[in-house]
């Protein structure tokens, strides 16, 4: 079951979709998030990329500094989540090809 998206969340997601460059996106997230929140989101995405490549928890922990709890949570989302990580990883991999 997909979570209900509130009107405020929808407005936020639409705002992100309206951004046209990495620089615009970075400026927006810099205004909306704390430095720690951006670091945490970046770390989770790095973990997802490494899990997608088949890396083991220990090497991911060493490479990213993420706790095993964070790695496990990201792995759970990759396996049982809403498909967000998978969609982004697929698009990212296609872009590199």
């Amino acid at each position: 079951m997909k979570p209900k998206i509130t009107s405020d969340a929808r407005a936020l997601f639409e705002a992100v979709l309206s951004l046209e460059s990495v620089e615009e996106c970075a400026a927006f997230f810099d205004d909306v998030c704390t430095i720690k929140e951006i670091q945490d989101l970046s770390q989770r995405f790095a973990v997802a990329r490494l899990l997608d490549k088949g890396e083991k928890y220990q090497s991911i922990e060493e490479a990213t500094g993420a706790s095993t709890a964070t790695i496990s949570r990201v792995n759970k989302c990759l396996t049982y989540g809403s498909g967000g990580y998978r969609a982004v990883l697929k698009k990212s991999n296609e872009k590199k090809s």
Side-chain angles (χ1 to χ4, degrees), residues 40-53 60 63-64 74 85 89:
D40 289 347
L41 291 169
S42 300
Q43 183 185 65
R44 288 182 205 138
F45 189 58
V47 167
R49 291 193 325 262
L50 292 170
L51 285 168
D52 189 54
K53 290 180 183 178
I60 295 170
T64 65
V74 172
Y85 277 124
L89 290 168

Side-chain angles (χ1 to χ4, degrees), residues 31-92:
D31 286 346
V32 172
C33 299
T34 65
I35 292 170
K36 178 72 169 122
E37 289 167 335
I38 293 170
Q39 290 170 340
D40 289 347
L41 291 169
S42 300
Q43 183 185 65
R44 288 182 205 138
F45 189 58
V47 167
R49 291 193 325 262
L50 292 170
L51 285 168
D52 189 54
K53 290 180 183 178
E55 296 289 331
K56 302 293 182 210
Y57 276 37
Q58 185 174 354
S59 65
I60 295 170
E61 186 177 19
E62 291 169 5
T64 65
S67 68
T68 54
T70 295
I71 298 167
S72 179
R73 181 184 183 284
V74 172
N75 192 45
K76 182 179 174 184
C77 289
L78 281 168
T79 306
Y80 304 108
S82 300
Y85 277 124
R86 289 282 176 215
V88 170
L89 290 168
K90 181 180 177 188
K91 287 182 182 191
S92 179

